[in-house]
Amino acid sequence: TVCDYPALRRQRRGPVTEEEKQRCANFLMLTIINTDLIVGLVTGSLTACSQSLNVPANCATNIASMLGMIVLMAQAGVQIQLDCIDDRNITQKRDAAVAKAEEIKADVQRSVQKFLKDHGRDGLALLPANPAVPKNTVYSNGALCFGVITLVASFTMRLGVVLADAAFTCPYEQDTELGRRDCALDVLGVLGLVSVIIRFSGLASNACVAIVGDSNPTGQCVVATSSIPTAAFSLSAAAANVEAACKKAFETWDPNAWPFEKQVTFPLVDNGDVVLPVI
């Protein structure tokens, strides 16, 4: 619907605005990012669930992460323009202020009339009750709220895994190039996952308050701004790991051994099998 320009023209009885074009671009880029997320989760699960490194899938995970993070950085720029920079014109600001004043006026009238009715003055014409939030809005935002909170918990646990891996890698493997690389990837993973948790926490604040028909502009801006470090750290981690995952790992990989040959984590093996913050 956000990209249905003919419908928008009919509704507005005028040309499509620049803001509507930005919202369409934002929607399309989010669709690409979510597709990359699904690809990364599916390919990553081949190794995680079998406990045996699947080199093509692991390579695809890194590439999907890189592509998704590039699109995420572009999407963050558009979303910051929409949610963090107030460039509305004077007419829009005036209309918003008038609508807010009318809402406050109606709330005051309801409060006064309720007070009079409670004290026996029930002959007055009462305003209707505040409109209820449509049930479809409640159900859809309730499901979204639950889903995003689940993602926050999942990425928090993933952060714990990366921290535990860094605790083994960084203090004891600094004397080798491979150890230093894996430690750097762990640090990038920690930074990326912290940004991810902030991003999804902002999404949760938006989805959960929408259940009661409210909005959270600050949360929307937090989502937009936190997307930039999320993309930067995750892209750096995937780019640093792609050579090992997509070149060196193929040199020793036996397709017939998967999934029977179980993955060994120590000593470190230069196969690109690291926990990446694929978002």
Side-chain angles (χ1 to χ4, degrees), residues 29-41 60-77 155 158 188-189 191-193 195-196 199-200 224 226-240 276-279:
M29 285 188 285
L30 283 174
T31 302
I32 296 173
I33 293 167
N34 290 330
T35 302
D36 284 323
L37 170 61
I38 294 172
V39 171
L41 291 175
T61 301
N62 286 266
I63 294 175
S65 179
M66 290 177 62
L67 294 176
M69 294 309 101
I70 292 172
V71 178
L72 180 60
M73 293 187 74
Q75 183 268 336
F155 283 116
R158 191 178 182 88
L188 288 171
L191 296 174
L193 285 168
S195 301
V196 168
R199 180 171 183 262
F200 278 97
S226 62
S227 296
I228 294 178
T230 296
F233 292 131
S234 300
L235 178 61
S236 299
L276 292 174
V278 182
I279 308 305

Side-chain angles (χ1 to χ4, degrees), residues 10 40-41 61-62 79 88 104 112 144 146 169 179 183 189 206 218 220 224 250 252 277:
R10 289 192 300 269
L41 291 175
T61 301
N62 286 266
Q79 191 171 358
R88 297 177 300 169
I104 294 174
V112 172
L144 181 60
F146 175 78
T169 304
C183 178
N206 292 334
T218 302
Q220 295 170 356
F250 273 103
T252 58

Side-chain angles (χ1 to χ4, degrees), residues 66-230:
M66 290 177 62
L67 294 176
M69 294 309 101
I70 292 172
V71 178
L72 180 60
M73 293 187 74
Q75 183 268 336
V78 175
Q79 191 171 358
I80 287 173
Q81 176 70 20
L82 288 171
D83 295 332
C84 301
I85 301 175
D86 186 9
D87 58 352
R88 297 177 300 169
N89 59 39
I90 296 176
T91 302
Q92 290 174 313
K93 292 181 179 180
R94 182 198 63 194
D95 293 342
V98 170
K100 186 66 176 178
E102 291 293 336
E103 182 181 350
I104 294 174
K105 177 183 175 182
D107 288 340
V108 172
Q109 286 178 323
R110 290 188 182 93
S111 298
V112 172
Q113 291 176 349
K114 183 178 183 302
F115 175 82
L116 294 175
K117 183 178 180 180
D118 291 341
H119 289 77
R121 301 292 300 274
D122 56 353
L124 299 175
L126 301 179
L127 289 174
N130 285 315
V133 179
K135 63 179 182 180
N136 290 337
T137 301
V138 174
Y139 295 152
S140 60
N141 285 294
L144 181 60
C145 175
F146 175 78
V148 176
I149 290 176
T150 302
L151 283 174
V152 172
S154 299
F155 283 116
T156 301
M157 290 185 286
R158 191 178 182 88
L159 175 62
V161 172
V162 180
L163 285 171
D165 187 67
F168 283 99
T169 304
C170 294
Y172 305 114
E173 301 291 340
Q174 287 297 313
D175 55 340
T176 65
E177 180 181 355
L178 175 59
R180 290 190 293 270
R181 180 184 69 86
D182 280 2
C183 178
L185 289 175
D186 284 336
V187 172
L188 288 171
V190 169
L191 296 174
L193 285 168
V194 170
S195 301
V196 168
I197 293 170
I198 295 173
R199 180 171 183 262
F200 278 97
S201 297
L203 285 172
S205 68
N206 292 334
C208 296
V209 299
I211 296 174
V212 295
D214 202 354
S215 62
N216 185 2
T218 302
Q220 295 170 356
C221 184
V222 167
V223 172
T225 53
S226 62
S227 296
I228 294 178
T230 296

